[in-house]
């Protein structure tokens, strides 16, 4: 386990060196500043207590969305250049002759990226919670959603690391972003379309996209913790059939989390196996 | 038992999208005895680096086998007792020299106390003790190669594999590497090195293998490979036929170079005084004489060019 720990520490050091934490700091400050907007508006223009409450609610869910997004970006950026990128730069040729297994290097890198992202996500969440708290509100759902938010960088980082096991930095980055974009597009554009076009094929594509990358699954788990009190969303579609409404707003089911875990594990394994079998030169 | 042994080793590089496959190593049979400083020579692209990468387990052979210290190449047990300096060395440049060695010591499984002591020793050996707190990023290329050498010998390995260890070094640095190799040899370690500086190799190696197009074309001790013949250049006041005739009776080959120089080749160094005697008896006026033992470079060029023909 010593080798895994050493590689993990090295990865963390490298993440620090790459000034990843500077970006983090900026996000922190922006998040902090933005989340005071409801209070600022309330004080400037007055308005009802309910409107203020709604503002807080909006900021909370916007904050969580940003954390999800930036954590994913951070994980992708840190992972995409890992295996092939480091082979090309020549780092690994000197590390691998040491008495360690390649999977230890792989696991160490993975853990390093994950720990770095997790620390960031916890920091950002704490900042969000604090700023809401300072406005006289408590939003414990930020903490309730945290485990699911943490799965975002795990999912994307694992994927990018897997791609990096055979593809160079920019290609691995592209593959991961393309998959993410496909999943996002399917969930945010194709899914609502079902309200207007009730086609089985459309529904199948959307479900498929979720198997390919269970991002919408994670979104639902986060949303289940932080519900927006809005009405009149297209997803609520009061005029649509029961089946369409179910498709638009599927419930969260425990086995789906199992699928996410399996997905991450399999991606980790595939990447590890490719790395194990390839030449390092 | 050999420190390094390969049998029918072969490596073919294929690109994913078409292209002709490159045979980097064709049919390599190599035997490196324990405790020897072994020079692994060959022209650019002969397959030296590829062979070394197979030996340390970074690259998988297409066919054949390789054993290192009695274990299959790439086995943990072999890697535990092996030190390696890559050809295209590139180390984590954000670490200081000391942090870098600490990382490698830790990966090699050394405990803190031994490691701290050993870091001092190897930094001293490669002459970087004053720069131990500098980041590798701030190192010159030659200093990076030195820290790479320090890393390779850090854990007191039994076998040290160096892929062009002096490519970035100044003459002083090269001498230091020679001293390090000498020190390793005195401790009974095996050193396997690859270099294009044949005079360096001649000075530090006991044995060499000359590689061309992925095959060993010559392998043996330096003495065995280089004793055969000696070439002597004789300087005369004037080259006359009688002198040439006399020389021909002693030498295996005689060749006038210009009006006052003759090159003569003898089968054995012991025949060199005979050449002088022959010139004098034939009435020639000998002004000077220079014996040229065949160098590794001569052998190398002859073998590699011979192959090309
Ligand atoms: N990763 C690779 N992909 C494809 N071909 C390669 C690869 N690495 C090496 N080769 C080819 O294999 C052959 C041997 O290369 P290698 O690096 O082993 O030579 P070398 O003897 O170390 O040469 P040099 O003295 O220049 O370092 C060359 O023809 C090279 O082009
Ligand atoms: Mg080479």
């Amino acid at each position: 386990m010593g080798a895994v720990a050493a590689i993990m520490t090295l990865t963390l050091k490298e993440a620090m060196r790459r000034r990843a934490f500077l970006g983090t700091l900026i996000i922190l400050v922006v998040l902090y500043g933005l989340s005071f907007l409801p209070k600022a508006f309330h004080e400037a223009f007055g308005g009802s207590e309910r409107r203020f409450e709604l503002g807080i609610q909006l900021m909370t869910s916007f904050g969580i969305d940003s954390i999800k997004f930036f954590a994913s970006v951070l994980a992708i950026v840190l992972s995409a250049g890992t295996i092939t990128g480091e082979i090309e730069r020549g780092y690994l040729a000197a590390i691998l002759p040491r008495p360690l297994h390649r999977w230890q290097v792989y696991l160490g890198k993975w853990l390093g990226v994950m720990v770095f992202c997790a620390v960031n996500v916890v920091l950002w969440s704490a900042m969000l919670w604090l700023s809401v708290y300072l406005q006289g509100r408590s939003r414990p759902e930020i903490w309730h959603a945290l485990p699911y938010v943490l799965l975002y960088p795990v999912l994307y980082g694992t994927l990018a690391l897997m791609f990096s096991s055979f593809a160079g930095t920019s290609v691995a980055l592209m593959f991961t972003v393309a998959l993410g974009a496909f999943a996002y597009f399917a969930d945010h554009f194709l899914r609502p379309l079902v309200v207007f076009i009730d086609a089985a094929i459309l529904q199948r594509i959307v479900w498929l996209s979720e198997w390919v990358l269970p991002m919408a699954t994670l979104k639902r788990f986060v949303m289940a913790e932080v519900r927006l009190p809005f009405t009149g969303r297209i997803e609520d579609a009061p005029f649509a059939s029961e089946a369409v409404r179910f498709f638009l707003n599927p419930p969260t089911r425990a086995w789906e989390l199992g699928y996410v875990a399996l997905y991450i594990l399999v991606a980790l394994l595939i990447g590890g196996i490719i790395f194990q079998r390839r030449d390092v030169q | 038992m050999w420190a390094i042994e390969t049998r029918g080793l072969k490596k073919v590089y294929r690109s994913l999208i078409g292209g002709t496959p490159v045979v980097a190593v064709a049919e390599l049979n190599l035997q490196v005895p324990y405790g020897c400083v072994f020079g692994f020579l060959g022209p650019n692209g002969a397959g030296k680096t590829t062979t070394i990468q197979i030996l340390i387990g970074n690259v998988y052979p297409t066919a054949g086998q390789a054993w290192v210290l009695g274990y299959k190449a790439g086995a943990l047990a072999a890697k535990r007792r092996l030190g390696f300096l890559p050809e295209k060395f590139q180390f984590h440049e954000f670490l200081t020299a000391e942090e870098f060695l600490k990382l490698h010591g830790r990966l090699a499984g050394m405990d803190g106390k031994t490691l701290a002591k050993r870091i001092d020793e190897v930094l001293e050996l490669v002459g970087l003790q004053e720069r131990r707190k500098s980041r590798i990023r701030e190192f010159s290329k030659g200093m990076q190669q030195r820290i790479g050498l320090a890393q390779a010998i850090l854990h007191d390995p039994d076998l040290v594999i160096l892929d062009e260890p002096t490519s970035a070094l100044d003459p002083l640095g090269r001498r230091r590497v020679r001293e390090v190799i000498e020190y390793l040899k005195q401790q009974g370690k095996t050193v396997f090195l690859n270099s294009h500086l044949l005079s360096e190799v001649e000075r530090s190696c006991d044995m060499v293998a000359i590689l061309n197009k992925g095959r060993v074309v010559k392998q043996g001790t330096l003495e065995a490979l280089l004793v055969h013949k000696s070439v002597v250049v004789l300087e005369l006041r004037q080259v006359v036929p009688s002198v040439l005739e006399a020389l021909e009776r002693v030498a295996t080959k005689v060749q006038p170079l210009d009006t006052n120089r003759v090159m003569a080749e003898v089968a054995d160094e012991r025949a060199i005084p005979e050449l002088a005697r022959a010139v004098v008896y034939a009435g020639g006026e000998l002004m000077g004489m220079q014996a040229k033992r065949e160098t590794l470079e001569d052998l190398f060029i002859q073998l590699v060019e011979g192959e090309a023909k």
Side-chain angles (χ1 to χ4, degrees), chain B residues 229-246:
Chain B
K229 49 197 173 176
S230 292
V231 174
V232 179
V233 174
L234 299 127
E235 221 174 297
L236 306 161
R237 192 172 292 283
Q238 196 170 15
V239 177
V240 289
S242 60
V243 170
L244 290 178
E245 264 169 46

Side-chain angles (χ1 to χ4, degrees), chain B residues 43-50 52 87-88 163-164 194 196:
Chain B
N44 292 134
K48 304 179 296 292
T49 298
T50 305
I52 287 178
E87 177 184 37
K88 291 176 219 144
D163 196 347
E164 297 192 34
N194 155 7
H196 291 299

Side-chain angles (χ1 to χ4, degrees), chain B residues 173-190:
Chain B
R174 289 210 287 273
R175 189 173 68 190
R176 214 182 257 280
V177 170
R178 254 194 335 265
E179 284 164 7
V180 171
I181 291 171
E182 191 56 37
Y183 158 89
L184 290 171
K185 192 182 159 172
Q186 274 166 15
Q187 294 188 318
K189 315 286 188 190
T190 312

Side-chain angles (χ1 to χ4, degrees), chain A residues 65 68 218-228 233:
Chain A
D65 274 348
K68 271 160 41 179
L218 284 185
K219 187 189 84 177
R220 283 197 297 277
F221 276 93
V222 173
M223 295 274 283
E225 301 298 336
V226 205
R227 267 268 169 233
L228 277 181
R233 296 179 313 162

Side-chain angles (χ1 to χ4, degrees), chain A residues 5-6 10 13-14 17 89-91 93-102 276-281, chain B residues 11 13 50 53 56-60 76 79 84 90-95 103-104 106-108 151 155:
Chain A
L10 183 69
K13 269 190 191 159
E14 198 170 3
R17 175 199 66 107
R89 278 186 287 160
Y91 288 163
I95 296 282
L96 290 183
R98 291 292 166 200
L100 39 76
H101 297 284
R102 288 193 187 175
Q276 176 64 39
R277 302 178 68 117
R278 67 168 290 173
D279 287 342
V280 173
Q281 206 177 18
Chain B
K11 177 68 188 179
Y13 284 110
T50 305
Q53 297 282 3
I56 57 173
N58 277 2
V59 165
Y60 297 108
L76 238 48
K79 293 205 279 185
F84 171 58
Q90 181 70 58
F91 309 119
H92 294 88
E93 71 277 351
F94 53 92
L95 298 176
L103 166 73
H104 275 272
R106 230 180 125 193
L107 290 177
Q151 163 272 136
H155 54 304

Side-chain angles (χ1 to χ4, degrees), chain A residues 6-105:
Chain A
I7 298 291
M8 186 183 97
T9 316
L10 183 69
T11 311
L12 281 169
K13 269 190 191 159
E14 198 170 3
M16 295 300 279
R17 175 199 66 107
R18 288 171 69 184
R19 307 275 181 269
F21 65 92
L22 269 188
T24 290
L25 215 66
I26 294 168
I27 294 164
L28 258 169
V29 170
V30 170
L31 218 63
Y32 190 64
L34 277 180
S35 48
F36 271 106
L37 277 181
K39 194 174 173 74
F41 273 117
H42 190 59
E43 275 165 9
F45 309 115
S48 68
E49 195 56 19
R50 177 162 156 63
R51 242 167 83 184
F52 175 59
E53 180 70 30
L54 200 69
I56 291 276
Q57 184 66 35
L58 247 170
M59 281 329 295
T60 307
S61 72
F62 171 74
I64 289 176
D65 274 348
S66 322
I67 292 173
K68 271 160 41 179
F69 177 77
F70 286 116
S72 306
V73 169
L74 189 65
I76 294 172
V77 167
L78 289 179
S79 309
T82 300
I83 302 298
T84 304
E86 290 205 5
I87 290 172
E88 280 167 3
R89 278 186 287 160
Y91 288 163
L92 281 181
I95 296 282
L96 290 183
R98 291 292 166 200
L100 39 76
H101 297 284
R102 288 193 187 175
W103 65 260
Q104 290 177 308
V105 174

